[in-house]
Amino acid sequence: MPRAYPAEFRAHAIALVRAGKEQKQTAVDLGIHPVTLSKWLHQDDIDNGRAARSAATNPRAGNRARDRPQGRQVPRRGQAGPKRRYPVIDRLVDAGTPVDRCCRILGVARQNYYKHKRTPTTPRQLRREWLTGLIREVHVASRGTYGYRRVHAELTLGMGIEVCSRTVSVLMTQAGLYGLPGPVRIKRLRGVVTPWRPRGRPERR
């Protein structure tokens, strides 16, 4: 459990640093941890409205705070990264939504989105877009019943296109295409003796 220091003691430590004494030496003289003293100083800056000026003493911290877009969050594991959000922004913009609003809602920097738009499309991206179009055609022709395995079979066996099933699965997931679930499989028990009963005779109770 962290030690609680009196308010007068904290004020005395802060006053020594404000008077010009070195922060690390002050912590050693008073017998407190340097990180604790740093937290006291930061809280004092916030209480007295000096938090903005304290950031100016660290140019790198100030640049990061200034360049970070409002409302942007670092994507966690499992969440869609910025590159996967760009197609969503494209569809929203085509529907009439302003670019600034789309970027703010999805947490994408507007400069990065425009930079992505100016970047030429690579051959790999062109092929994946072409495959996605074919996958949509096969999926529509099956009335939305084919999963990635049957779509892959139609592409490779029916159209003679070389593509792995994993790529088909990923592209279908990104396009929001899914097949209907197959029949429920009954688990067969092997090596288990079942009671024999003559056919046509009801079981006696």
Side-chain angles (χ1 to χ4, degrees):
M1 184 175 181
R3 178 182 176 183
Y5 293 91
E8 296 80 4
F9 181 79
R10 294 198 300 268
H12 175 65
I14 294 172
L16 291 177
V17 178
R18 301 300 186 202
K21 190 174 181 179
E22 187 180 358
Q23 179 177 337
K24 185 176 181 180
Q25 186 61 38
T26 303
V28 173
D29 294 342
L30 296 178
I32 59 178
H33 199 279
V35 177
T36 302
L37 181 57
S38 178
K39 291 181 179 180
W40 293 351
L41 294 170
H42 180 66
Q43 186 62 40
D44 183 67
D45 290 337
I46 296 176
D47 296 340
N48 294 278
R50 293 192 299 266
R53 280 180 288 175
S54 63
T57 59
N58 188 352
R60 294 184 179 179
N63 293 336
R64 288 195 299 267
R66 182 176 61 255
D67 297 337
R68 187 183 301 115
Q70 296 295 331
R72 183 180 180 183
Q73 298 179 354
V74 178
R76 297 180 179 178
R77 187 175 183 179
Q79 295 182 347
K83 292 184 179 180
R84 294 187 178 182
R85 301 175 194 175
Y86 294 149
V88 180
I89 297 176
D90 292 337
R91 291 194 292 268
L92 293 175
V93 171
D94 294 339
T97 308
V99 177
D100 296 344
R101 186 177 182 183
C102 296
C103 294
R104 184 174 65 255
I105 293 175
L106 296 178
V108 176
R110 186 180 58 180
Q111 310 91 292
N112 295 339
Y113 171 71
Y114 285 125
K115 182 179 179 180
H116 169 75
K117 294 290 290 183
R118 293 191 299 267
T119 304
T121 306
T122 62
R124 180 173 180 268
Q125 293 174 344
L126 289 175
R127 173 177 168 80
R128 292 174 78 92
E129 292 177 1
W130 172 66
L131 287 174
T132 302
L134 294 179
I135 290 172
R136 289 184 183 274
E137 294 179 2
V138 175
H139 192 261
V140 171
S142 69
R143 298 181 182 180
T145 59
Y146 280 7
Y148 78 92
R149 293 184 179 88
R150 290 191 174 184
V151 173
H152 174 258
E154 183 66 25
L155 293 176
T156 55
L157 301 179
M159 301 182 181
I161 300 174
E162 296 183 1
V163 60
C164 65
S165 60
R166 174 63 180 172
T167 301
V168 176
S169 175
V170 171
L171 294 179
M172 289 186 65
T173 302
Q174 293 178 355
L177 304 176
Y178 303 95
L180 294 180
V184 179
R185 297 182 179 180
I186 301 176
K187 185 176 182 180
R188 303 294 183 181
L189 300 178
R190 298 181 179 180
V192 179
V193 179
T194 57
W196 179 83
R197 187 170 65 249
R199 184 175 300 178
R201 296 182 181 181
E203 183 181 358
R204 296 181 180 180
R205 296 183 179 178

